[in-house]
């Protein structure tokens, strides 16, 4: 996915290169990782964060591409990243790793009951999907099942009062935010 943060556009790829383009289409800079880049980047405060399947999370100066820091994850395929509060969060197999976005130092590591596949932010909490949908308070490390599943689930989208989850078998399910109404609202094939 291309990330646009005016005046730049950021994208990585399978050829190990992470690019910063100007909006006129010219290359501003290119950074080479040691393996493919498949997850979305995150841009915050003139820093672009991305991970590669070389086990590293990278933080680069957005205007220049200069490496600020890199962090070696415990797993060779970190997930995409979230910024909640002033903490950078990503999945690393069956853990969530929480980093200081300025220094790249680990703040905490949270054990999860299943592999972390995809991450989402909702209500200052981290939500991840696998065979269940989980919600995690990354400050306390408390992990709860939000939706018990027949998964694996692939994606989740949040609305005002409901959220939608898709699964491996092309099912689309709607749920209410009211925990007492954690029932399937609709299902289509």
């Amino acid at each position: 996915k291309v990330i646009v943060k005016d005046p730049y556009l950021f994208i990585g790829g399978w050829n190990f290169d992470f690019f910063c383009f100007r909006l006129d289409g010219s290359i501003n800079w290119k950074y080479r990782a040691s393996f493919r880049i498949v997850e979305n980047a995150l841009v915050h405060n003139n820093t672009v964060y991305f991970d590669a399947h070389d086990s590293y999370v990278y933080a680069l100066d957005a205007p220049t591409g200069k490496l600020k820091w890199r962090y070696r994850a415990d797993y060779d395929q970190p997930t995409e990243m979230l910024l909640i509060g002033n903490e950078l969060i990503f999945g690393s197999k069956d853990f969530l790793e929480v980093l200081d976005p300025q220094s790249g130092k680990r703040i905490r590591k949270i054990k999860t009951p299943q592999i972390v596949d995809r991450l989402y932010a909702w209500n200052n909490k981290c939500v991840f999907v696998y065979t269940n949908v989980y919600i995690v308070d990354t400050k306390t490390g408390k992990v709860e099942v939000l939706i018990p599943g027949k998964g694996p689930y692939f994606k989740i989208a949040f609305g005002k009062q409901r959220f939608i989850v898709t699964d491996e078998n092309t099912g689309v399910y709607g749920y209410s935010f009211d925990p007492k109404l954690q029932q399937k609202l609709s299902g289509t094939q």
Side-chain angles (χ1 to χ4, degrees):
K1 180 176 169 185
V2 174
I3 304 298
V4 178
K5 186 75 169 182
D6 196 16
Y8 306 113
L9 177 146
F10 301 95
I11 190 165
W14 285 73
N15 66 353
F16 309 177
D17 291 329
F18 189 83
F19 289 94
C20 173
F21 292 94
R22 293 180 194 90
L23 294 182
D24 67 4
S26 62
I27 296 174
N28 187 44
W29 52 259
K30 174 175 81 169
Y31 185 90
R32 183 122 176 125
S34 10
F35 211 65
R36 65 182 176 251
I37 303 160
V38 297
E39 302 295 348
N40 298 330
L42 175 69
V43 181
H44 181 70
N45 288 343
N46 265 345
T47 302
V48 58
Y49 305 93
F50 71 94
D51 60 68
H53 282 199
D54 60 4
S55 301
Y56 284 98
V57 173
Y58 297 86
L60 306 178
D61 180 68
T64 68
K66 181 180 177 196
L67 180 67
K68 291 183 170 187
W69 55 258
R70 72 181 189 158
Y71 173 84
R72 184 169 175 77
D74 291 336
Y75 183 58
D76 66 352
Q77 297 178 12
T79 67
E80 71 272 41
M81 291 165 280
L82 300 175
L83 193 65
I84 298 177
N86 194 31
E87 296 180 337
L88 188 66
I89 302 155
F90 66 92
S92 183
K93 205 164 185 177
D94 54 349
F95 288 92
L96 288 173
E97 297 206 46
V98 182
L99 307 181
D100 178 311
Q102 299 302 313
S103 68
K105 302 287 185 207
R106 183 177 4 187
I107 298 171
R108 73 188 71 81
K109 187 174 177 180
I110 301 166
K111 176 76 172 124
T112 60
Q114 291 186 316
I115 292 172
V116 178
D117 190 22
R118 299 195 185 274
L119 291 182
Y120 303 89
W122 174 63
N123 242 8
N124 290 319
K125 302 240 186 329
C126 174
V127 175
F128 76 90
V129 297
Y130 193 64
T131 54
N132 296 314
V133 177
Y134 294 92
I135 188 162
V136 182
D137 184 327
T138 57
K139 295 286 187 196
T140 65
K142 183 178 180 184
V143 180
E144 296 179 87
V145 174
L146 185 61
I147 304 169
K150 301 171 190 168
Y153 287 121
F154 278 139
K155 298 210 175 189
I156 189 168
F158 295 95
K160 278 189 161 187
Q161 299 300 319
R162 295 192 176 118
F163 53 98
I164 305 296
V165 178
T166 63
D167 71 15
E168 179 175 68
N169 301 312
T170 67
V172 178
Y173 308 96
Y175 294 88
S176 169
F177 279 124
D178 182 343
K180 294 178 185 166
L181 298 174
Q182 291 290 321
Q183 58 189 340
K184 186 163 60 168
L185 299 174
S186 66
T188 60
Q189 296 286 4

